[in-house]
C-alpha cells in the first residue's frame, strides 16, 4: 500500500493520499485508540450517569466499535454539551422525553438531532452541521465523531 518515493515525487495524487492516510493512522489515530478506553470509561461515562445514560459495551471494550452507534441518536451528544456548556451550569437538564428512545428510521434520528441542535443553539454553542450532515457523516466514522 505504501507508495514508492518515485510515485510521491512524480506527484501521483492517489498514492500521496494513501501515504498520508497511513501516516495519519499510525501517528494520530494510534494515540486516540490507546486513550479512547480511558476517555470513555473514566471521563465520559461518569458524566453520562448524571443523565441516566451510558456508552454500550461495544464502545467501552476494545476495539470500541460502538461509538458511532452510541452517538448517532444525539442523546449522549446532548448530555455532554449540556454538562460542559458554562451558560447552562445552573439550568435544568434537557428533556430526553422529547427524543426517540431507540430511533428506528433515519427520520427519527434526524428528528432527535434537530432537537439536540436546537437546544445546543439555545446554550450559545456553535453548530457546524445540519442534523442531516451529522447523521450522514457520523455513521461508521469514528474519526468524525
Amino acid at each position: 500500500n505504501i507508495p514508492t518515493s518515485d510515485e510521491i515525487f512524480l506527484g501521483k495524487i492517489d498514492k500521496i493520499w494513501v501515504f498520508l492516510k497511513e501516516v495519519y493512522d499510525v501517528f494520530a489515530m494510534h494515540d486516540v485508540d490507546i486513550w479512547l478506553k480511558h476517555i470513555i470509561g473514566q471521563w465520559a461515562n461518569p458524566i453520562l450517569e448524571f443523565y441516566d445514560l451510558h456508552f454500550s459495551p461495544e464502545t467501552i471494550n476494545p476495539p470500541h466499535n460502538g461509538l458511532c452507534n452510541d452517538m448517532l441518536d444525539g442523546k449522549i451528544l446532548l448530555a455532554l454539551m449540556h454538562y460542559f456548556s458554562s451558560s447552562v451550569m445552573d439550568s435544568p437538564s434537557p428533556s430526553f422525553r422529547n427524543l426517540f428512545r431507540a430511533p428506528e428510521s433515519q427520520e427519527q434520528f434526524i428528528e432527535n438531532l434537530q432537537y439536540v441542535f436546537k437546544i445546543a443553539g439555545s446554550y450559545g454553542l456553535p453548530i457546524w452541521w445540519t442534523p442531516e450532515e451529522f447523521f450522514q457523516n457520523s455513521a461508521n466514522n469514528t474519526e468524525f465523531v
Side-chain angles (χ1 to χ4, degrees):
N1 270 352
I2 300 294
T4 65
S5 58
D6 288 339
E7 290 172 323
I8 293 172
F9 182 75
L10 292 172
K12 293 187 176 184
I13 300 298
D14 58 326
K15 298 295 186 176
I16 293 171
W17 277 116
V18 167
F19 176 71
L20 290 175
K21 174 78 169 108
E22 290 294 323
V23 169
Y24 178 76
D25 286 345
V26 169
F27 292 104
M29 291 309 294
H30 177 263
D31 290 343
V32 169
D33 290 339
I34 289 172
W35 285 100
L36 196 55
K37 176 182 176 185
H38 300 289
I39 292 168
I40 291 169
Q42 297 174 4
W43 175 76
N45 254 350
I47 293 168
L48 295 176
E49 288 175 6
F50 288 116
Y51 300 92
D52 197 26
L53 297 171
H54 61 278
F55 281 109
S56 67
E58 293 82 15
T59 297
I60 295 169
N61 300 317
H64 314 291
N65 289 333
L67 183 61
C68 295
N69 286 336
D70 286 350
M71 296 294 286
L72 194 57
D73 66 8
K75 290 180 276 206
I76 289 176
L77 179 63
L78 179 59
L80 293 174
M81 286 189 308
H82 178 264
Y83 186 86
F84 285 103
S85 177
S86 61
S87 63
V88 294
M89 289 303 230
D90 297 322
S91 67
S93 293
S95 174
F96 289 96
R97 285 178 271 153
N98 293 330
L99 300 172
F100 288 98
R101 183 167 188 83
E104 296 178 1
S105 67
Q106 179 175 344
E107 291 76 22
Q108 290 178 345
F109 280 104
I110 298 295
E111 194 170 322
N112 275 9
L113 291 169
Q114 287 170 337
Y115 176 74
V116 169
F117 288 4
K118 177 182 173 188
I119 296 296
S122 74
Y123 295 164
L125 298 173
I127 306 297
W128 292 288
W129 319 280
T130 65
E132 293 79 9
E133 290 170 333
F134 184 87
F135 179 82
Q136 291 168 355
N137 289 309
S138 63
N140 299 315
N141 188 345
T142 304
E143 292 173 23
F144 176 80
V145 172

